[in-house]
């Protein structure tokens, strides 16, 4: 190959590499959740799980820019996020406020802890049937208003069966929480059939992981039934955030990378 041919190949290679870099998807992520998502027991918002999720995703070479909004609210149930509520309006406003309108918009949803309570939070106890209908209503409206968006349903995490603070959870609540997980998976499957590539199951591993490691990853809190474990500490928030990050990465890599 002469020098002119070599130069042409190098130029073509540079163009190809630049084109490939341009194909890296940019992400805008809205986190919908409760106090665990909000990170209310942690020192700063930068310690909350969503911040760790974003830090993880920004380290991955297969993504472009990654921006986010934490829409977690302490004590909230699926009822508090239904369309027509002020909370839902703020979620949609946050989604519309991102600068890059061409980025892949992702709603990462982790709700259920407060729904599962015996009493205390809005609407609790919420049956598995009502819970998943609420989740479906939220998703349907989000996708109606943002047709190109993606929803990732993260499974709720474990809490100790003696959990009782201002609200009452206990073993009854924990059992109810576990009944939500298969409903979430069924909802994902039904959407895959009627509206593919818009609703995905996210993390399913954190529940068992936090159950096993709750003494080191969850905060011991004084309750009416003794010391209980519900909220991640700083180390736990990092672990949970990475669980979410890996789930989001997997969905995007398998379905939206060119």
């Amino acid at each position: 190959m002469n020098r002119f041919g070599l130069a042409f190949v190098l130029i073509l290679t540079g163009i190809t590499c630049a084109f490939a870099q341009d194909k890296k998807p940019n992400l805008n992520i809205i986190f919908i959740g409760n106090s665990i998502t909000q990170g209310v027991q942690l020192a700063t918002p930068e310690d909350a799980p969503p911040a760790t999720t974003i830090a993880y995703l920004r380290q991955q070479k297969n993504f472009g820019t990654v921006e986010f909004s934490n829409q977690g609210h302490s004590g909230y149930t699926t009822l508090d996020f239904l369309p027509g509520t002020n909370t839902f309006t703020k979620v949609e406003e946050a989604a519309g406020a991102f600068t890059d309108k061409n980025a892949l918009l992702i709603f990462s949803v982790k709700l259920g802890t407060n729904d599962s309570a015996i009493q205390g939070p809005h609407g609790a106890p919420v049956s598995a049937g009502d819970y998943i209908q609420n989740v479906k209503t939220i998703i349907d409206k989000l996708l109606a208003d943002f047709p190109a968006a993606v929803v990732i349903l993260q499974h709720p995490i474990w809490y100790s069966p003696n959990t009782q603070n201002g609200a009452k959870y206990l073993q009854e609540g924990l059992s109810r929480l576990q009944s939500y997980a298969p409903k979430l998976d069924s909802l994902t499957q039904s959407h895959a059939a009627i509206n593919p590539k818009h609703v995905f199951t996210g993390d399913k591993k954190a529940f068992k992981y936090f159950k096993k490691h709750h003494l080191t990853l969850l905060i011991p809190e004084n309750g009416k039934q003794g010391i209980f474990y519900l909220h991640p500490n700083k180390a736990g928030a990092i672990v949970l955030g990475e669980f979410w990050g890996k789930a989001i990465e997997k969905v995007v890599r398998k379905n939206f990378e060119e």
Side-chain angles (χ1 to χ4, degrees):
M1 182 181 294
N2 61 35
R3 61 179 181 176
F4 297 106
L6 178 61
F8 177 77
V9 170
L10 291 174
I11 292 170
L12 182 62
T13 301
I15 292 173
T16 302
C17 290
F19 182 76
Q21 288 177 350
D22 288 341
K23 287 299 182 180
K24 290 182 179 180
N26 297 332
L27 309 179
N28 292 334
I29 306 176
I30 300 286
F31 292 89
I32 295 174
N34 45 46
S35 60
I36 293 171
T37 301
Q38 185 179 349
V40 293
Q41 296 279 2
L42 302 171
T44 69
E46 289 72 24
D47 293 329
T52 298
T53 300
I54 298 306
Y56 172 84
L57 293 172
R58 285 174 176 168
Q59 291 171 357
Q60 308 312 305
K61 295 180 180 180
N62 48 330
F63 297 135
T65 61
V66 185
E67 303 298 334
F68 80 108
S69 175
N70 186 345
Q71 295 294 315
H73 294 276
S74 180
Y76 278 24
T77 66
T78 52
L79 282 80
D80 295 297
F81 281 96
L82 288 173
T85 63
N86 185 54
T87 312
F88 186 87
T89 299
K90 288 184 177 180
V91 167
E92 292 210 319
E93 288 175 350
F98 288 114
T99 302
D100 184 357
K101 305 301 182 183
N102 295 317
L104 178 63
L105 177 61
I106 298 174
F107 294 96
S108 175
V109 181
K110 202 287 295 179
L111 291 169
T113 301
N114 295 310
D115 295 73
S116 73
I118 297 170
Q119 62 184 38
H122 180 200
V126 180
S127 69
D130 288 343
Y131 166 81
I132 204 61
Q133 182 57 53
N134 291 344
V135 173
K136 183 180 184 301
T137 299
I138 294 166
I139 290 174
D140 288 349
K141 181 58 174 172
L142 289 174
L143 293 179
D145 294 343
F146 301 93
V150 171
V151 178
I152 300 178
L153 301 175
Q154 316 281 9
H155 281 206
I157 67 171
W158 178 89
Y159 57 75
S160 62
N162 68 328
T163 297
Q164 185 175 358
N165 44 25
K168 188 177 182 181
Y169 297 85
L170 306 182
Q171 180 60 55
E172 178 186 329
L174 181 60
S175 297
R176 187 163 29 251
L177 182 71
Q178 290 175 275
S179 75
Y180 295 163
K183 296 290 187 181
L184 290 171
D185 296 342
S186 294
L187 182 60
T188 298
Q189 292 169 6
S190 64
H191 267 274
I194 63 174
N195 192 18
K197 291 197 173 185
H198 283 286
V199 181
F200 299 89
T201 297
D203 171 69
K204 300 173 68 171
K205 299 177 181 178
F207 183 96
K208 289 184 178 179
Y209 193 86
F210 277 88
K211 180 179 181 180
K212 181 177 180 180
H213 299 283
H214 66 276
L215 293 178
T216 55
L217 297 180
L218 298 180
I219 300 170
E221 302 179 58
N222 292 313
K224 296 180 180 179
Q225 302 291 332
I227 300 296
F228 68 90
Y229 296 87
L230 171 65
H231 297 99
N233 56 26
K234 185 174 182 178
I238 291 172
V239 170
L240 182 58
E242 289 189 355
F243 271 121
W244 294 349
K246 290 176 181 177
I248 293 170
E249 178 193 16
K250 182 178 179 180
V251 167
V252 176
R253 177 167 40 82
K254 289 181 65 176
N255 297 278
F256 300 101
E257 286 187 355
E258 297 185 10

